[in-house]
Every structure is written in structure tokens, then in C-alpha cells.
């Protein structure tokens, strides 16, 4: 609304349905009182003199009744002024009845606008223009409750009230009308960022609402910005049918979770709930949430993701009761790191056993970070034994759960299991034998993680590898053996060679081999025909190895193993080995992803990487971070990217951040800014040329897991929006402080889904795909530069960059 002076606003909107019996002084008094609601655009739509019917008094009380866009007021008419006696929001009026000229309102004051609520109020008034009064009230109520069920408000009339004109706005307008009505109800000023963000999502067809993705009002760290109040926004979802997913992550507002419980009492459209890392929560919040899910049998929740929250015993038990009451499918249950004790785990699996028609549909189960021990392990075994081949479970994540695998051997009956993660669980001999039985009997297994399980060579790793070989149906298994240092004492080339036909990826991170054993293993892997991914991070014993032999073995590995496309050589090989290996990589045509971070190659190593990029057209992803790369090294990479049109991801956040902090002059900062911005432009060009899909057009949305961004150089997860990024970047570079997220902006080809949060997402979608509208692609021009011509985005601020 345009700003108006106080004198002008006293008569604003007073020409609509105002009785002739209302004096100018009364009009001015009403307008003056309504100024307190100007933030919501409130205005009176109908002003009528009425007589309050009082049974105990002989004479009725003369009043003025005012109907506004969101509220209803009743004023007592006195000689010189009006005295407000009732002030209700339209949401508080539950019933309206009319009989001739008598109009009766049944009002139940609620917590939103009337403190702690109060007793029910019955207001009966006589009005000669009752038909006009009721019509204005119905029109106002219709606009702020558009899309609500017809039975939410009752009207009893002695005669026909007539039919209102149909109110059918666009969905964005309807959502905003409901939001403004809820803001007025909760006495919360409407937030422009919330309105713009939600309108943008609706117009693009996005059905995932992530509260943590709503932009901040001000990005200035010196100004203390109050937290956004999400109560009105969440209340708008009570009867909403557009948004199918709600994410509350990385916030410090426990009231948002309580409000979500209120929303789920009536909402029947939400299919996914994500609550992660919300500060101030207690188990009572989740007891309330679980109780709501149990009582609302018409809800459509099919994905429950609650991570890093204090669910504890009581919350887990109540959630188990709600799961037991599910009368529809549940695709994903993710309760990672919720401090659930063994009794809580038992309650969850007992509910799954007692509701097999629901639990048979479960595809993704993640209970990492909770305590199983023997009781929980036995209930897991009972559930798997109950369902057996009927189970559709594909992803079972039980990392760091004190799992006793010898009590859960029935996992071998899960015929559709694709991924089994039991990392960070100590596996003694009995558990290793049970794991071997499960692996040998799983026909569809594609990923197995035993990271940090304290495995030795015998009977640990050797028994496990033998079980893989005995399973004829496993042909493309990814095995994670990382952080089992004791297994490296006897693990050799023969063991890895025998699983060549079964395994496509091997992770040996943290297993320290002697130089001779390491060379034998690499030589054996060079002959592998199916190996696609290999992680050799931190696999050499520190010191005492010959750099030339190690580098030669690595060069032969990528030359002979033509199926290998992903290789990690981080944190152990050093400068000499890494540079010699890179020199033999220029002509390679098979490797697409390479990680050489943490090898201290410096600017000379960056120059070698630049030489490789001048001729190598196969690499798509390259991680050269934590290599002590300075400004000159970044400049060399920038120069190489001018000719390289295939590299899509260059990971250098820590080195670039260190350079920003070390820059001592404005000239150094400006040069660093130019180099980084040029790298950004070249990578964006490469991504646009590599993919025919417009930016911001993922294949599907909803609860389908979205791919991660393909370009990332910033060390932090958050990124300023395109409109404010330039100002934030200038401030960071001019002061030499702040995070690189304000100094470096990297576009990404495929944006993250709005529901991305800690934990894995469901691999299937119960909802039909809903494509996003493509964002406009910026045009390019080539301004003259003293050193060279570089592509420069000319319309970067004309569209919203996807969040990294």
C-alpha cells in the first residue's frame, strides 16, 4: 500500500457500505482505531448501526458493527466517542445465524489474537440492513478461506441468503490471501520475503516448501535481524493442496514443529515431512507430532525424515503408535541420530511387525546413530523374518547403532535389498559370519559399507570377500572397506583380484599398506575389467617409499584399467608423486573424476594441472583443494579453463578462502576476484554446453531424490541470492574478511531440490512428476580484456541462481 499521511488515512475506504446513520465523527473514530491494522491492509467494508439484544435489560444497547477484510469490530455508541467492546478475527467466528432482522454470531476466542483464548461468546444484534451485513461478512470470509472445506463455517438462515459471486483466483493469489489472513490472526506483520518466495515456488510449480531456503531480510552481519516467524506461513498449510513436502531444517524455532503438528490435524496433501537439526526441541514436541499423525487418519504422509533431534524413548514410542495406525503406504522412515534407546527401537520394529500391510511398502529405512544392542537387533530380525521376500526394502542404513548382527541373520531374506550400511559397528567373529551369510544370500546387493567396523584380515575381510565371490547374482557391487587399519596387515593383491568380476567400486581409505604390498595391489587392480571407482586416499604408510615407483604404478593403473572413471588419491602421496602422475595424465581419455586434494602440490602442481587441462578432454570433476595453491596457481587454472570446455566442477574452496584472508592489498583482492569470477564464468559456460536441459529444470520434483550441484567452489553450504550477491562479494573482497560464499559465486547446472536435508531421500515418488518452468538463460558477450577475452554473464541478476 502506498504511504499516506495520518489525515488522509482517516477516511480511507470509508465509502463502501456505510450507513447514512453513521456520522463523520464516527467514521473518523473508526478509521483511527483501524490504523493499528494497517500493516495487513485492513479496511472496513461494511459499517452498520445495530441494537444488541439483551434479555435482562428492557432497552437494547445501540452499537456500531464493522466488518473488515479480516476482522469484525463492535463499538458502543456514546455521545462524543465510540468505545470498542469486541474485536474478533473472522477465523474466531464459528457460526452465524439469521432470523428476519436478528443476526447472531457464535465466537470462540482463540490463542492467535485473544491471548490465551476464552469462553464462547454469543453476540445477537438487530440490524435493518442485515442482508447487506451478512453478505459483506460472507464475502470477506470467502476470500481468506478460499480452498477451505465447506463445512468449516456454519450458517443458519431463516430465508435464502442468495448465492455469492464465485471467487476463483489463481493459486498464488489464493495462497497469499490465506497467508495475510493468518498473519492478521496471529498479529504477525506480513513478511515480504516469505510472500515473494512462496509466490515464486508456486509460479514455477515447485511442490516442496523448505523453510530454511527462505531468504534473509538483511545479510549485514552487523545488523541483528529478528528470526522469521513461521507460524502464519505454516497455518496457511492447514488446508493447502499445492505443497506436498515441508522441510524444517537448521533453525532455532521449536514453535515451528509445534505449529506443524497443528497443520497435520487437517492437512491431507503433505506426503513428506523433514525435521532436521532444529534447536530447542524436546521429546514432547515429537509426542505431539506423533499423536497428530495417529489421530488424523486421512493424512497422506509417506516419507518421515527426523534427523538430529531428541526423539528419545517417549517420542519413539509415540511415533511407533502412529506408524501402527497407518492405513496407507510408508516409503521412507529416516530417524538418524535421534538418541533412541534400545527400547524405543524395539517399539518401532514391533509396530512394523504388527502393521505388515504398511511396512511391506517401506523402501528406505535409516536408523543410524541410535542404539540397537541385543533387544533392538532381535526385533529387527523378527521384522525381517516376518516379511521375508515380500519386503520391498532397498536401502537399510544402520551406521553406528551398536548392532549385534549375529541376532539379525534374517536380513538374508530381504530379496530386494540394494544397499546395506553397517559402518561404525564393531563386528566380532560371530557378526562377521552373519554378515557373510547375508551377503552371500542377497541377490540384488549393489552397495556394502563396513567402514570403521574394526575388521581384521582373518576372519574379517577375507571371509567377507569370499562371500561376495560365492554370490553369483552380484555383478556390480560397491564395497567400502575404509578405516579398518588392521585388515591392511595381510590384505593383498590376490584377495582383490578374486572379486574383480563381482565388484565395480572399492574404497580402501585409511588402510595403510607397505610400499611393496601397495604396488602389488595397484598392479592387480590395473588388470581389473569391471572396476569403475577406486579410492586410495591415505593408503600408504608415511615415509619410506620411492616416489617414482608409486607414480609409475598410478600411471599404469589409469592406462591399463580402461573401465576406471573415478579415482581418489588424497592425503598421502605428496608433491613429487602427484606431479609425476599428473604428467602422465594429459593423454588419458577414460578418467572423468579425480581427487588429488591434500597433497601439498603448491603453485607448481597447479601449473601441472593446468597443463593437463589444456589437452585432457575427459575430466569432468577435479578436486585440487588443500594443496597450498596461491594466487598464481589459481591464475594458471584460470588460463587453462579458457581452452578447456569439458571440465564442469573445480573444487578449491579452502585454498581460495585462505588467499582471501591472506590478501594484504586492494590490488591483490581485486586480482583474486577477477581470477575467481573468470573461473566461474568458464565453468558455467562448460556446464551450459554439456547439458541440453535448461538451468533449473530437473526431471522430477516432489519426494524424488534430486542430484547434487555439479559446480561448487564455496566452502559454505549457503549462498546469497543473485540480487544481493554482487554487493556481498564486493564487501568481502574490499575488507579481506568473511566467508568465500560472499566472495565466490559458482553457478550449478542442476539445482538441489527444495527438500534437500541431512539423510538420504526416498528413491521412488508416489506423486506424478511436475516439471519446473525453465529459468531464462543469460546472454554472453566478450568485452575486450588486456590479456584475453573472457565470457562474462551480462544478465546474472536477472534470474535466481540455484542454491549450492
Amino acid at each position: 500500500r502506498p504511504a499516506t499521511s495520518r489525515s488522509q488515512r482517516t477516511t480511507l475506504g470509508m465509502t463502501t457500505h456505510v450507513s447514512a446513520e453513521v456520522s463523520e465523527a464516527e467514521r473518523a473514530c473508526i478509521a483511527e482505531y483501524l490504523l493499528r491494522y494497517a500493516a495487513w491492509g485492513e479496511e472496513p467494508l461494511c459499517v452498520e448501526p445495530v441494537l444488541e439484544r439483551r434479555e435482562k435489560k428492557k432497552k437494547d444497547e445501540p452499537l456500531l458493527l464493522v466488518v473488515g477484510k479480516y476482522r469484525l469490530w463492535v463499538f458502543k455508541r456514546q455521545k462524543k466517542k465510540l468505545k470498542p467492546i469486541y474485536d474478533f478475527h473472522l477465523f474466531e467466528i464459528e457460526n452465524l445465524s439469521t432470523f428476519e432482522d436478528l443476526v447472531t454470531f457464535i465466537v470462540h476466542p482463540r490463542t492467535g489474537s485473544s491471548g490465551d483464548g476464552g469462553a464462547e461468546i454469543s453476540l445477537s444484534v438487530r440490524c435493518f440492513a442485515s442482508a447487506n451485513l451478512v453478505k459483506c461478512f460472507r464475502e470477506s470470509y470467502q476470500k481468506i478461506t478460499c480452498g477451505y472445506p465447506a463445512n468449516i463455517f456454519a450458517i443458519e438462515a431463516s430465508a435464502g441468503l442468495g448465492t455469492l459471486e464465485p471467487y476463483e483466483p489463481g493459486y498464488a493469489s489464493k495462497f497469499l490471501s490465506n497467508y495475510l489472513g493468518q498473519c492478521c490472526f496471529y498479529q504477525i506483520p506480513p513478511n515480504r520475503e516469505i510472500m515473494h518466495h512462496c509466490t515464486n515456488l508456486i509460479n514455477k510449480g515447485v511442490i516442496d516448501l523448505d523453510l530454511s531456503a527462505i531468504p534473509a531480510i538483511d545479510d549485514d552481519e552487523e545488523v541483528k535481524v529478528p528470526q522469521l516467524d513461521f507460524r502464519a506461513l505454516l497455518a496457511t498449510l492447514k488446508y493447502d493442496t499445492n505443497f506436498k513436502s515441508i522441510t524444517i531444517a537448521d533453525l532455532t524455532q521449536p514453535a515451528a514443529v509445534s505449529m506443524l503438528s497443528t497443520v497435520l490435524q487437517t492437512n491431507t496433501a503433505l506426503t513428506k515431512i523433514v525435521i532436521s537439526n532444529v534447536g530447542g526441541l524436546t521429546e514432547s514436541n515429537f509426542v505431539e507430532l506423533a499423536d497428530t499423525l495417529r489421530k488424523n487418519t486421512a493424512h497422506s504422509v509417506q516419507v518421515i525424515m527426523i534427523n538430529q533431534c531428541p526423539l528419545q524413548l517417549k517420542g519413539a514410542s509415540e511415533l511407533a503408535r502412529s506408524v501402527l495406525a497407518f492405513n496407507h503406504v510408508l516409503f521412507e522412515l529416516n530417524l538418524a541420530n535421534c538418541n533412541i534407546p534400545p527400547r524405543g527401537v524395539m517399539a518401532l520394529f514391533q509396530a512394523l511387525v504388527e502393521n505388515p500391510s504398511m511396512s511391506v511398502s517401506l523402501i528406505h529405512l535409516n536408523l543410524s546413530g541410535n542404539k540397537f544392542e541385543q533387544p533392538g537387533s532381535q526385533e529387527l530380525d523378527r521384522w525381517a523374518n516376518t516379511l521375508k521376500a515380500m519386503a520391498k526394502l532397498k536401502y537399510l542404513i544402520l551406521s553406528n547403532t551398536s548392532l549385534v548382527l549375529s541376532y539379525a541373520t534374517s536380513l538374508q531374506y530381504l530379496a530386494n535389498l540394494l544397499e546395506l550400511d553397517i559402518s561404525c559397528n564393531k563386528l566380532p567373529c560371530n557378526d562377521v559370519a552373519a554378515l557373510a551369510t547375508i551377503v552371500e544370500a542377497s541377490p540384488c546387493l549393489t552397495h556394502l559399507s563396513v567402514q570403521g567396523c574394526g575388521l581384521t584380515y582373518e576372519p574379517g575381510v577375507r571371509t567377507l570377500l569370499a562371500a561376495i565371490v560365492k554370490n553369483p547374482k552380484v555383478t556390480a557391487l560397491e564395497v567400502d572397506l575404509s578405516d579398518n587399519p588392521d585388515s591392511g596387515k595381510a590384505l593383498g593383491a590376490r584377495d582383490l583380484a578374486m572379486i574383480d568380476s563381482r565388484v565395480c567400486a572399492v574404497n580402501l581409505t585409511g588402510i595403510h599398506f607397505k610400499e611393496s604390498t601397495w604396488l602389488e595391489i595397484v598392479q592387480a587392480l590395473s588388470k581389473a575389467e569391471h572396476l569403475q571407482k577406486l579410492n586410495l586416499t591415505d593408503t600408504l604408510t608415511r615415509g619410506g617409499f620411492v616416489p617414482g615407483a608409486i607414480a609409475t604404478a598410478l600411471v599404469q593403473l589409469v592406462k591399463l584399467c580402461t573401465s576406471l572413471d573415478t579415482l581418489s588419491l588424497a592425503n598421502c602421496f605428496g608433491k613429487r608423486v602427484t606431479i609425476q602422475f599428473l604428467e602422465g595424465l594429459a593423454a588419458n581419455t577414460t578418467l572423468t573424476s579425480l581427487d588429488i586434494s591434500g597433497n601439498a602440490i603448491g603453485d607448481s602442481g597447479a601449473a601441472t594441472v593446468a597443463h593437463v587441462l589444456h589437452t585432457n578432454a575427459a575430466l569432468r570433476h577435479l578436486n585440487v583443494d588443500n594443496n597450498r595453491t596461491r594466487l598464481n596457481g589459481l591464475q594458471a587454472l584460470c588460463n587453462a579453463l579458457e581452452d578447456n570446455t569439458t571440465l564442469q566442477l573445480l573444487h578449491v574452496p579452502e585454498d581460495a578462502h585462505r588467499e582471501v584472508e591472506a590478501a594484504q592489498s586492494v590490488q591483490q583482492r581485486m586480482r583474486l576476484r577477477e581470477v575467481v569470477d573468470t573461473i566461474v564464468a568458464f565453468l558455467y559456460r562448460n556446464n551450459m554446453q554439456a547439458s541440453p536441459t535448461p538451468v533449473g529444470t530437473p526431471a522430477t520434483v516432489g519426494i524424488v531424490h534430486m542430484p547434487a550441484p555439479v559446480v561448487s567452489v564455496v566452502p559454505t553450504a549457503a549462498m546469497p541470492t543473485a540480487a544481493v550477491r554482487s554487493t556481498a562479494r564486493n564487501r568481502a573482497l574490499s575488507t579481506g574478511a568473511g566467508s568465500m560464499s560472499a566472495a565466490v559465486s559458482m553457478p550449478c547446472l542442476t539445482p538441489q531440490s527444495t527438500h534437500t536435508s541431512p539423510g538420504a531421500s526416498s528413491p521412488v515418488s508416489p506423486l506424478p512428476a511436475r516439471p519446473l518452468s525453465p529459468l531464462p538463460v543469460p546472454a554472453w558477450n566478450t568485452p575486450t580484456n588486456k590479456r584475453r577475452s573472457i565470457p562474462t554473464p551480462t544478465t546474472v541478476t536477472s534470474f535466481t541462481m540455484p542454491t549450492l
Side-chain angles (χ1 to χ4, degrees):
R1 293 173 60 87
T4 56
S5 65
R6 192 177 186 87
S7 61
Q8 290 174 328
R9 292 164 69 179
T10 56
T11 59
L12 193 62
M14 295 298 295
T15 59
T16 304
H17 300 303
V18 180
S19 174
E21 300 181 20
V22 181
S23 66
E24 290 295 333
E26 289 176 329
R27 298 186 184 193
C29 184
I30 293 172
E32 186 73 18
Y33 181 81
L34 265 60
L35 285 177
R36 66 187 66 185
Y37 299 104
W40 298 278
E42 181 64 279
E43 58 183 357
L45 302 179
C46 178
V47 181
E48 292 290 346
V50 297
L51 296 174
E52 183 179 9
R53 183 182 178 185
R54 297 192 174 185
E55 297 179 356
K56 296 183 179 181
K57 293 185 178 181
K58 297 181 179 180
K59 187 176 180 180
D60 292 339
E61 188 77 22
L63 305 173
L64 272 183
L65 193 146
V66 182
V67 177
K69 294 169 63 176
Y70 309 113
R71 308 187 72 83
L72 182 144
W73 302 272
V74 180
F75 295 89
K76 183 177 181 180
R77 304 181 77 175
Q78 298 178 344
K79 294 182 179 180
K80 296 184 179 180
K81 62 179 181 178
L82 295 177
K83 179 181 179 182
I85 56 176
Y86 291 122
D87 183 351
F88 302 126
H89 194 281
L90 299 188
F91 287 153
E92 297 174 323
I93 301 175
E94 297 182 347
N95 184 279
L96 171 65
S97 61
T98 64
F99 182 78
E100 296 180 354
D101 61 345
L102 181 65
V103 181
T104 302
F105 298 92
I106 304 299
V107 185
H108 190 278
R110 300 176 187 173
T111 306
S113 59
S114 305
D116 295 329
E120 184 179 280
I121 298 174
S122 178
L123 174 64
S124 298
V125 296
R126 292 188 177 275
C127 178
F128 293 105
S130 59
N132 182 49
L133 177 67
V134 173
K135 180 182 178 183
C136 287
F137 176 86
R138 293 175 63 197
E139 289 177 346
S140 296
Y141 196 88
Q142 181 188 41
K143 290 181 179 179
I144 64 173
T145 60
C146 187
Y148 282 34
N151 60 353
I152 194 174
F153 178 72
I155 297 181
E156 301 174 6
S158 59
L161 295 177
T163 304
L164 294 178
E165 295 182 4
Y167 178 68
E168 299 177 353
Y171 188 82
S173 300
K174 179 176 69 175
F175 188 88
L176 291 181
S177 296
N178 294 345
Y179 171 70
L180 291 174
Q182 295 290 351
C183 285
C184 188
F185 176 70
Y186 286 98
Q187 300 291 283
I188 300 171
N191 186 277
R192 290 183 305 171
E193 297 296 333
I194 291 178
M195 292 191 292
H196 292 167
H197 181 74
C198 293
T199 303
N200 191 32
L201 294 179
I202 293 171
N203 291 336
K204 291 180 180 180
V206 179
I207 58 177
D208 302 325
L209 179 60
D210 186 354
L211 300 188
S212 61
I214 297 177
I217 299 174
D218 195 338
D219 65 342
D220 192 344
E221 297 179 357
E222 297 180 357
V223 179
K224 187 176 181 180
V225 181
Q227 292 182 343
L228 296 180
D229 196 327
F230 294 112
R231 286 181 299 167
L233 175 60
L234 289 171
T236 309
L237 301 178
K238 286 183 178 180
Y239 301 100
D240 177 76
T241 58
N242 176 75
F243 291 109
K244 308 299 182 184
S245 167
I246 178 71
T247 299
I248 306 175
D250 302 321
L251 301 175
T252 56
Q253 298 190 34
V257 177
S258 298
M259 194 65 205
L260 177 60
S261 301
T262 304
V263 170
L264 290 173
Q265 294 176 3
T266 55
N267 186 285
T268 59
L270 285 175
T271 62
K272 179 176 180 180
I273 300 173
V274 180
I275 304 173
S276 176
N277 192 28
V278 179
L281 289 177
T282 61
E283 61 179 346
S284 61
N285 295 107
F286 297 102
V287 170
E288 181 184 7
L289 179 65
D291 187 61
T292 301
L293 289 174
R294 180 170 54 86
K295 292 180 179 178
N296 181 11
T297 58
H299 73 81
S300 302
V301 176
Q302 301 168 10
V303 174
I304 299 177
M305 299 177 65
I306 303 176
N307 301 329
Q308 301 179 28
C309 296
L311 206 58
Q312 299 180 351
L313 175 59
K314 192 173 182 180
S317 301
E318 289 299 320
L319 185 59
R321 292 182 61 194
S322 66
V323 167
L324 182 61
F326 265 47
N327 55 11
H328 59 272
V329 297
L330 179 65
F331 289 107
E332 179 174 355
L333 181 62
N334 187 335
L335 304 177
N337 302 313
C338 287
N339 197 23
I340 303 176
R343 289 175 57 192
V345 173
M346 289 178 59
L348 287 171
F349 281 112
Q350 288 171 0
L352 293 177
V353 169
E354 295 175 16
N355 191 353
S357 59
M358 177 276 299
S359 61
V360 74
S361 65
L362 198 62
I363 293 178
H364 192 122
L365 178 61
N366 187 346
L367 295 175
S368 298
N370 303 299
K371 297 301 179 185
F372 274 57
E373 298 178 352
Q374 181 177 337
S377 304
Q378 290 175 332
E379 287 300 322
L380 169 63
D381 182 80
R382 189 163 75 95
W383 173 65
N385 189 48
T386 301
L387 298 185
K388 292 188 176 179
M390 295 186 300
K392 297 180 180 179
L393 189 71
K394 295 183 178 180
Y395 304 91
L396 182 58
I397 316 298
L398 303 176
S399 175
N400 189 26
T401 56
S402 301
L403 180 67
V404 184
L405 206 55
S406 57
Y407 288 99
T409 55
S410 295
L411 294 178
Q412 62 182 306
Y413 302 130
L414 302 178
N416 297 300
L417 190 64
L418 296 178
E419 178 178 349
L420 177 61
D421 185 350
I422 56 171
S423 57
C424 303
N425 290 296
K426 297 302 179 182
L427 298 181
C429 297
N430 293 339
D431 288 0
V432 171
L435 177 60
T437 302
I438 295 170
V439 171
E440 187 176 346
S442 300
C444 301
L445 197 63
T446 60
H447 182 86
L448 175 63
S449 177
V450 289
Q451 174 192 0
C453 289
L455 293 178
T456 58
Y457 175 71
E458 182 67 44
V461 174
R462 183 178 180 181
T463 304
L464 184 59
L465 297 182
I468 294 174
V469 174
K470 293 179 181 179
N471 190 339
K473 296 183 179 180
V474 171
T475 57
L477 180 64
E478 298 182 3
V479 181
D480 186 354
L481 301 173
S482 59
D483 297 328
N484 289 293
D486 293 339
S487 62
K489 297 178 181 179
L491 182 64
R494 181 179 300 178
D495 300 306
L496 296 177
M498 71 178 183
I499 61 171
D500 174 38
S501 60
R502 300 283 189 265
V503 174
C504 67
V506 178
N507 187 350
L508 301 175
T509 300
I511 303 178
H512 297 158
F513 301 98
K514 296 181 179 179
E515 180 183 3
S516 58
T517 306
W518 190 92
L519 289 174
E520 291 177 0
I521 290 175
V522 173
Q523 290 173 3
L525 293 176
S526 300
K527 302 175 183 179
E529 298 179 357
H530 303 89
L531 187 63
Q532 299 175 7
K533 301 177 183 179
L534 178 61
N535 194 332
L536 297 175
T537 297
D538 195 18
T539 53
L540 266 177
T541 304
R542 301 287 180 177
F545 58 83
V546 180
I550 300 296
T552 302
L554 291 174
V555 172
Q556 291 298 314
L557 171 66
V558 298
K559 180 180 179 180
L560 299 178
C561 186
T562 56
S563 61
L564 186 66
D565 57 29
T566 302
L567 179 62
S568 178
L569 305 173
N571 300 331
C572 72
F573 294 95
K575 182 175 182 179
R576 294 178 60 187
V577 172
T578 306
I579 290 180
Q580 291 182 39
F581 165 70
L582 289 172
E583 290 173 348
L585 197 63
N588 182 270
T589 59
T590 59
L591 205 61
T592 60
S593 179
L594 177 63
D595 182 358
I596 54 172
S597 60
N599 285 300
I601 60 176
D603 286 348
S604 58
T608 306
V609 173
H611 174 71
V612 173
L613 293 178
H614 276 292
T615 56
N616 187 297
L619 279 175
R620 299 294 184 269
H621 301 164
L622 180 61
N623 187 346
V624 293
D625 199 23
N626 284 319
N627 274 315
R628 302 176 186 175
T629 306
R630 306 293 299 275
L631 179 56
N632 291 336
L634 295 174
Q635 181 69 64
L637 295 175
C638 178
N639 295 337
L641 286 174
E642 184 176 8
D643 299 328
N644 186 293
T645 59
T646 57
L647 188 68
Q648 299 172 15
L649 183 147
L650 179 62
H651 195 70
V652 287
E654 296 299 331
D655 285 339
H657 182 67
R658 191 181 302 110
E659 280 299 287
V660 170
E661 294 181 339
Q664 298 180 354
S665 65
V666 176
Q667 290 78 8
Q668 288 180 330
R669 298 189 191 108
M670 294 304 295
R671 184 186 171 195
L672 177 62
R673 173 185 174 181
E674 181 184 359
V675 169
V676 172
D677 285 352
T678 307
I679 293 176
V680 169
F682 284 135
L683 292 176
Y684 188 81
R685 174 202 63 190
N686 295 353
N687 279 282
M688 294 302 297
Q689 292 178 357
S691 174
T693 305
V695 176
T697 311
T700 55
V701 293
I703 67 169
V704 180
H705 177 60
M706 298 300 298
V710 298
V711 178
S712 174
V713 267
V714 292
T716 58
M719 179 75 89
T721 57
V724 302
R725 188 176 296 134
S726 178
T727 303
R729 180 175 56 204
N730 293 343
R731 181 170 65 250
L733 286 171
S734 62
T735 59
S739 67
M740 275 300 295
S741 62
V744 183
S745 60
M746 279 307 231
C748 67
L749 185 64
T750 52
Q752 288 175 325
S753 171
T754 56
H755 69 267
T756 301
S757 63
S761 298
S762 176
V764 298
S765 172
L767 304 172
R770 190 170 182 177
L772 298 180
S773 303
L775 294 176
V777 178
W780 299 95
N781 64 1
T782 53
T784 303
N785 188 284
K786 293 182 179 181
R787 291 185 295 275
R788 63 191 177 281
S789 296
I790 59 174
T792 305
T794 58
T795 58
V796 170
T797 58
S798 65
F799 70 103
T800 303
M801 300 290 282
T803 304
L804 295 181

